[in-house]
Amino acid sequence: YFSLKDQDAQVRCAMFRGRNALLRFTPTNGQRVLARVRVGLFESRGEYQLQVEHLEDSGVGALRREYDLLRARLEAEGLFAQALKRPLPTAPSCIGVITSPTGAAIRDILNILARRFPAARVVIYPSAVQGKEAVGQLLEAVATAAARAECEVLIIARGGGSLEDLWAFNDEQLARALRALPMPVVSGIGHEIDFTIADFVADLRASTPTDAAKRVVPDIAEEIQMIGAMRDRARRTLLNRLDLE
């Protein structure tokens, strides 16, 4: 139970357990919100009450609507079409990474790549991944990767965050730049539940930066084990043939 108010008036509200269990944030005093409600009347007391069915932060709500509109427009244009998705190289000799050079994401990516496939060279195209400068720097990093064309696959990544934190990856220019790259792109942005426009336009969407690193290279330990098993089968086949002869 709470009240919604502005400078001139207030109205009592109720949001019952089945609805408020779905909230993605904890409302606080003084917070601006958007609410979808049904109007109820307590006739015995002559009081109105709003039964709140959905509640969201007004700032997040505006961003979410902008995101939904852009996603629908680009999807209708065909920018996310499965036919445009490019296959990843089986064992790339050079991997590019667009991310912050100081964040946790790059450490995780480098650790995974070094452990799974140390033969690959890694090129980092540094960029801010949050804030006012992020979109411009991301575009510059993409342009550099395209111009140098030294990598066979590109990872674009950052760690988890709120919708506002990930907003740079919902830019239309960035989406078109990623689609125009000469090499396939793997996105590893945020957590598993986070989806950005960059995820939809990428050739492969990974759930996290760590997952993105795993998707672009084979596991050398598994490859060595497989080769050993093939060698053993070949040896047994030859020995069986010699015994037969």
Side-chain angles (χ1 to χ4, degrees), residues 195-229:
F195 281 85
T196 67
I197 299 299
D199 289 314
F200 291 110
V201 79
D203 297 285
L204 178 68
R205 184 252 175 187
S207 57
T208 62
T210 298
D211 185 42
K214 290 179 179 178
R215 298 293 193 97
V216 299
V217 293
D219 188 337
I220 193 66
E222 292 179 2
E223 297 295 319
I224 291 172
Q225 186 176 7
M226 182 180 68
I227 292 171

Side-chain angles (χ1 to χ4, degrees), residues 95-135:
I95 300 162
V97 184
I98 296 177
T99 192
S100 168
T102 59
I106 189 60
R107 293 196 297 272
D108 292 342
I109 290 170
L110 292 177
N111 286 337
I112 291 294
L113 294 179
R115 187 173 77 240
R116 288 175 64 90
F117 199 65
R121 184 166 66 98
V122 181
V123 178
I124 300 172
Y125 303 99
S127 172
V129 293
Q130 183 177 336
K132 294 180 179 180
E133 307 297 324
V135 171

